[in-house]
Amino acid sequence: MDPLVQREATRVDPDVPFRAKTAHYHHTWAKTYHSRPELYIQPESVEEIQKVVTLARRCRRRVVVVGSGHSPSDLTCTSSWMVNLDKYSSIVSINPRTKVAVMQAGIRLRDLIAALRAYGLTMPNLGSINEQSIAGAFTTGTHGSSIKHGIISRSVLGLKIMLSNGRIVTCSAEQNKDLFRAALVSLGALGIIIEVTFQAVSHFNIAWTQKLVTLDDVLKRWDSGLWDETEFTRVWWFPYMKKCVHWQADKTLEKPQTAKASWFSGRVGFHIYHVLLYTAQWVPRILPFMEWFVINVQYGGNKVSAIEEGSQGLLMNCLYSQLVNEWAIPLSKGPEAIERLSAWLHGDWDNSGIPFDPEGIYIHAPIEVRIAAAAKSDEVRPFLENTGPDEPSLLLNATLYRPYGLNPPAHLRYYEAFQWLMMDLGGRPHWAKNFTDVTAEEIHKMYPELPEWLKIREDLDPEGMFLGDWHRKLLFLQKWPKLPLEEEQVKTRPYLSGGVMWHGQVPRRTLSPQNSEESFDLMHGAEAEKSVYFDDE
């Protein structure tokens, strides 16, 4: 550990532990990005989190908070200080009458669900997995697939956030509403969320069915029952065969019943498909055949049904390491998006209207098609919510697997075309995914309220303690000056096991030994506080 940090750690609240490790290796779940933070810190109390922030300010370090690392982007990469709240993850209170739960922000969704279940409660909706921390899930705009439910942050009632000066502020729809709107999709750039108040619902089971249908069937039913026939709906689109798996679910009082699974859904099928994906790295022309194989072997045209707890039935097995590029577009533009992308993938360049050559591009199936409800009039809408405000949003997820850690050969060309189409249809990217070559200027056009979010961010963290290169590239126009604690990417390099090793630096990170530490902290603490206009709790 840097001697400067060691010295300061003994001077700042010496009775409060500083639980830091120096040899931590970080990677995203998909191992798309890797980094080695200077310190990996797992605080266990508010006082310990406060000490981390105070030390970071004194020692001129950036702070990155990470949960499961499920985002495949470099959003969580750092060479500075990484904070993980897995040990600050307890339930504070659960009120069975109001169904309101208060929790420490590091709790994983699976543990929250288990705690709620003891009170006959659960989460109203889920994305594909339950491994994320609650704060990591809603601050990146995580969603499920339902015309009755929006992004997960719709269920968040209130937050407590520790700022870069160590103060704790409370926000909700009634208190510091603009801060609340900014923090609900904060992208880790405002401060450290330490406590979450969440609106749970009564525990429920779901009865689900899935069946194989044609793409024409999906498009014909688009406005007549496809999305609103049941509470939960999702579609997996197999573009070469022009087939879809249509999955529907409703709440039920019936007891769980296990689905009859195909042999291909088990361990043997997992490894067979993985080897086939690896083979396609070298012979990509087999991918249409692989799609035919999966449809006939795994789905076989049979209708499958089951009854499960909602907290299990709404999940999905992500299988392998993957790149994911998901965008939200207006639901009404969904058929056009699918028809144009389908034409392009089948070589009909002219009718697709996509100005990129599809020659030699073969992709993995399926393309995930989901839906999210627009915010209701009485709901608080985050400044950076990527789903639309006026109608339900269609969420198209162009997933590409990375067999044994290898990126597919044509992924950059495919994503370039896919993103062009999404932007042509007024789309906005999911913040936690692998969208590429999107500029800050384009993001500002997509998010007219982004300047308000940036102003709040500046008031809360004027030195950029929680900012990194990812934020700079996507959120800041060129006129915005670099901030003292903002971390810059200095280089990347291929990692031996696949993915990219990320290296960054905070340019002005050393505390001058000639300065009095106390006066230094006072000076920078005052700087951090000068613009903060939010009330303490």
Side-chain angles (χ1 to χ4, degrees):
M1 186 183 299
D2 187 326
L4 165 66
V5 177
Q6 284 184 309
R7 184 184 68 190
E8 291 301 299
T10 63
R11 296 181 177 184
V12 175
D13 298 322
D15 294 332
V16 175
F18 183 56
R19 305 177 195 274
K21 300 176 182 178
T22 57
H24 182 75
Y25 155 64
H26 168 73
H27 63 79
T28 60
W29 171 83
K31 296 187 177 180
T32 45
Y33 284 93
H34 312 253
S35 66
R36 293 192 180 275
E38 177 192 6
L39 293 181
Y40 181 74
I41 310 163
Q42 290 189 298
E44 299 181 12
S45 67
V46 170
E47 293 76 19
E48 291 182 28
I49 299 172
Q50 203 160 33
K51 181 168 182 172
V52 171
V53 170
T54 300
L55 285 172
R57 188 172 67 248
R58 284 195 178 193
C59 300
R60 320 310 288 150
R61 300 305 203 266
R62 180 197 176 198
V63 173
V64 177
V65 182
V66 64
S68 66
H70 205 267
S71 168
S73 77
D74 59 345
L75 174 61
T76 58
C77 288
T78 184
S79 297
S80 192
W81 290 6
M82 180 173 287
V83 174
N84 172 267
L85 298 182
D86 279 354
K87 296 182 179 179
Y88 189 74
S89 56
S90 299
I91 294 291
V92 176
S93 65
I94 296 178
N95 187 322
R97 182 180 60 82
T98 62
K99 303 174 185 175
V100 172
V102 182
M103 66 212 69
Q104 295 173 343
I107 193 169
R108 299 295 182 99
L109 297 185
R110 61 174 185 267
D111 299 323
L112 170 60
I113 290 166
L116 291 172
R117 196 182 191 287
Y119 291 83
L121 304 174
T122 192
M123 296 178 65
N125 195 16
L126 279 168
S128 299
I129 65 168
N130 61 6
E131 297 298 316
Q132 309 110 307
S133 66
I134 181 67
F138 72 76
T139 57
T140 53
T142 297
H143 60 87
S145 188
S146 171
I147 200 167
K148 295 184 179 180
H149 301 280
I151 61 177
I152 286 179
S153 67
R154 302 270 173 82
S155 298
V156 176
L157 302 178
L159 299 170
K160 289 185 179 179
I161 308 171
M162 185 171 293
L163 307 182
S164 61
N165 60 7
R167 288 177 57 192
I168 298 173
V169 294
T170 301
C171 59
S172 65
E174 294 76 33
Q175 182 180 4
N176 292 322
K177 184 175 180 179
D178 282 347
L179 170 58
F180 189 51
R181 293 186 65 200
L184 285 174
V185 180
S186 70
L187 307 175
L190 304 186
I192 300 178
I193 294 174
I194 61 172
E195 188 175 284
V196 180
T197 301
F198 188 86
Q199 182 64 65
V201 299
S202 297
H203 179 270
F204 61 88
N205 292 341
I206 56 170
W208 62 260
T209 60
Q210 70 178 31
K211 59 183 177 180
L212 190 65
V213 298
T214 66
L215 179 59
D216 283 344
D217 289 336
V218 166
L219 297 176
K220 286 176 183 176
R221 295 192 58 213
W222 196 268
D223 297 317
S224 57
L226 179 71
W227 299 111
D228 57 7
E229 193 171 72
T230 55
E231 183 168 350
F232 304 98
T233 305
R234 56 193 177 207
V235 172
W236 292 286
W237 168 31
F238 294 83
Y240 295 116
M241 298 296 294
K242 296 188 177 182
K243 297 286 183 72
C244 299
V245 173
H246 183 206
W247 185 95
Q248 296 176 287
D250 260 328
K251 293 174 182 174
T252 182
L253 296 176
E254 296 183 52
K255 295 181 178 179
Q257 298 176 13
T258 304
K260 183 180 179 181
S262 160
W263 68 268
F264 196 70
S265 300
R267 178 183 291 271
V268 173
F270 175 90
H271 290 293
I272 290 175
Y273 194 54
H274 206 179
V275 170
L276 287 173
L277 287 168
Y278 181 75
T279 304
Q281 292 288 108
W282 318 109
V283 192
R285 289 180 179 273
I286 70 170
L287 283 168
F289 165 77
M290 287 172 55
E291 185 177 296
W292 172 88
F293 177 79
V294 169
I295 286 176
N296 285 278
V297 174
Q298 183 166 355
Y299 298 104
N302 297 321
K303 183 177 180 180
V304 181
S305 61
I307 299 174
E308 296 182 270
E309 290 190 26
S311 58
Q312 291 299 315
L314 293 174
L315 302 179
M316 187 181 73
N317 186 346
C318 293
L319 295 177
Y320 321 106
S321 170
Q322 55 193 247
L323 301 172
V324 282
N325 196 342
E326 182 182 82
W327 288 63
I329 61 174
L331 181 64
S332 58
K333 294 186 178 181
E336 179 185 350
I338 291 172
E339 288 172 339
R340 290 174 65 184
L341 185 57
S342 179
W344 187 79
L345 289 170
H346 285 270
D348 190 354
W349 190 357
D350 293 335
N351 285 326
S352 73
I354 300 174
F356 300 96
D357 188 353
E359 179 67 28
I361 292 181
Y362 295 91
I363 69 166
H364 299 155
I367 296 172
E368 192 174 21
V369 186
R370 292 187 286 176
I371 187 173
K376 299 174 184 176
S377 59
D378 60 342
E379 292 179 324
V380 176
R381 177 177 167 79
F383 287 122
L384 300 186
E385 179 174 341
N386 77 318
T387 55
D390 302 318
E391 66 172 279
S393 291
L394 186 75
L395 298 122
L396 282 179
N397 188 0
T399 300
L400 292 173
Y401 293 116
R402 302 178 64 249
Y404 304 108
L406 298 177
N407 287 338
H411 72 282
L412 292 176
R413 290 173 57 207
Y414 172 43
Y415 278 176
E416 185 179 32
F418 177 73
Q419 289 176 176
W420 187 93
L421 175 61
M422 294 297 99
M423 286 192 281
D424 190 49
L425 295 172
R428 298 195 281 199
H430 189 308
W431 291 111
K433 308 299 186 183
N434 289 110
F435 58 101
T436 58
D437 299 322
V438 179
T439 66
E441 288 76 15
E442 289 168 331
I443 292 289
H444 273 255
K445 291 177 182 178
M446 297 174 193
Y447 292 90
E449 293 182 305
L450 178 53
E452 295 178 59
W453 184 91
L454 287 169
K455 177 62 169 65
I456 292 170
R457 207 223 69 78
E458 182 182 21
D459 287 338
L460 297 179
D461 179 28
E463 291 195 297
M465 180 184 291
F466 302 104
L467 279 184
D469 197 73
W470 185 95
H471 302 99
R472 169 65 57 180
K473 288 185 296 187
L474 292 171
L475 305 178
F476 290 81
L477 300 173
Q478 290 185 355
K479 64 181 180 180
W480 288 78
K482 291 286 182 75
L483 300 176
L485 300 186
E486 178 183 341
E487 186 174 15
E488 301 173 351
Q489 175 185 304
V490 293
K491 66 177 180 179
T492 60
R493 59 179 174 83
Y495 197 66
L496 289 176
S497 61
V500 173
M501 174 60 79
W502 189 98
H503 298 271
Q505 69 175 13
V506 177
R508 288 180 281 173
R509 76 175 201 171
T510 303
L511 171 58
S512 169
Q514 285 78 33
N515 287 341
S516 159
E517 289 80 4
E518 289 77 12
S519 63
F520 180 90
D521 191 46
L522 180 64
M523 177 181 68
H524 286 276
E527 172 67 21
E529 288 191 45
K530 71 177 184 181
S531 301
V532 176
Y533 53 85
F534 304 104
D535 296 326
D536 288 325
E537 59 177 308

